Amino acid sequence: MRRLPLSRICPSLLLLVLLAGCSTIGVVSAWLGDQVAFTPGQLQRHLDHRFPRTFDKLGGLVTVTLDNPRASIAPGDSRLRLEFDLGLGALGSEGATTGHLALASGLRYDPATQGLHLDAPELLQFEIPRSGELLRGGARGIVNSLLAEYARTEPVYRLDDDLLAKLPAGSRIGEVGIERGVVVVRLER
């Protein structure tokens, strides 16, 4: 068995330790600056683990399935854009996700869920194929009520316990905004 010389192992080990420490230092320094930022990619990874989701509406008469979430922030925009593949079903059946839903929303922090929630979501696009205008209007109302419920109860991103444990003493999560393509969470003292 061939052994690696110590001179080759030590630099590699040191680099590995430094890289592991950098992520922690980044979190601490973010809070030390009284804010922390999240990229759309971080939000996307969180959403990918939470979908597809099926929601029952009207006492189970209608189901709405949301799948393939896509989070983005347009350059110069102060709102998060979310897009989903959409499926509608009736009487307990799940509809195939052949539709499309896009919304724009601000974000707010909810201490009860330790998460970032939609704030005043606005439906931008709503497409369901092969439906009459009456169904489309009724479905739009159902989707709007679903969005309002989702914004109230479901976080788009949940803040990590380790990150919250590093809050400076006497401070709390304050304003959440979108600046220069990232979500910025500020602290209040």
Side-chain angles (χ1 to χ4, degrees):
M1 175 190 281
R2 197 176 119 199
R3 295 181 131 181
L4 287 174
L6 190 58
S7 63
R8 292 193 63 186
I9 294 174
C10 285
S12 299
L13 186 59
L14 180 62
L15 180 62
L16 189 60
V17 168
L18 286 174
L19 287 175
C22 284
S23 64
T24 304
I25 290 170
V27 168
V28 172
S29 67
W31 283 134
L32 290 176
D34 289 338
Q35 68 182 27
V36 67
F38 300 97
T39 65
Q42 288 172 293
L43 298 179
Q44 183 66 52
R45 283 188 292 281
H46 183 77
L47 290 168
D48 286 344
H49 293 291
R50 299 185 51 85
F51 287 90
R53 301 269 309 267
T54 300
F55 302 89
D56 288 330
K57 299 304 291 176
L58 301 176
L61 293 175
V62 176
T63 58
V64 178
T65 300
L66 298 177
D67 197 4
N68 298 320
R70 296 168 299 281
S72 63
I73 300 171
D77 201 349
S78 63
R79 292 167 57 96
L80 175 69
R81 182 179 174 108
L82 285 177
E83 296 186 49
F84 296 94
D85 293 338
L86 171 74
L88 293 173
L91 300 173
S93 70
E94 290 184 23
T97 52
T98 56
H100 179 256
L101 166 73
L103 63 98
S105 180
L107 293 171
R108 65 178 174 79
Y109 177 72
D110 183 344
T113 64
Q114 297 181 333
L116 304 180
H117 289 253
L118 299 176
D119 185 32
E122 174 190 358
L123 195 55
L124 299 176
Q125 288 179 307
F126 178 70
E127 301 165 5
I128 50 174
R130 295 185 225 116
S131 66
E133 282 305 310
L134 183 60
L135 175 58
R136 187 179 307 271
R140 182 180 281 271
I142 290 169
V143 169
N144 275 328
S145 76
L146 172 67
L147 287 177
E149 180 183 332
Y150 184 83
R152 189 176 59 257
T153 61
E154 299 284 333
V156 173
Y157 185 84
R158 191 176 309 272
L159 298 182
D160 186 274
D161 287 336
D162 292 336
L163 179 66
L164 292 171
K166 292 178 174 89
L167 280 170
S171 60
R172 62 183 179 90
I173 304 291
E175 180 183 311
V176 177
I178 295 177
E179 302 170 7
R180 296 182 305 277
V182 295
V183 176
V184 178
V185 179
R186 289 190 168 70
L187 294 181
E188 295 177 349
R189 293 190 188 261

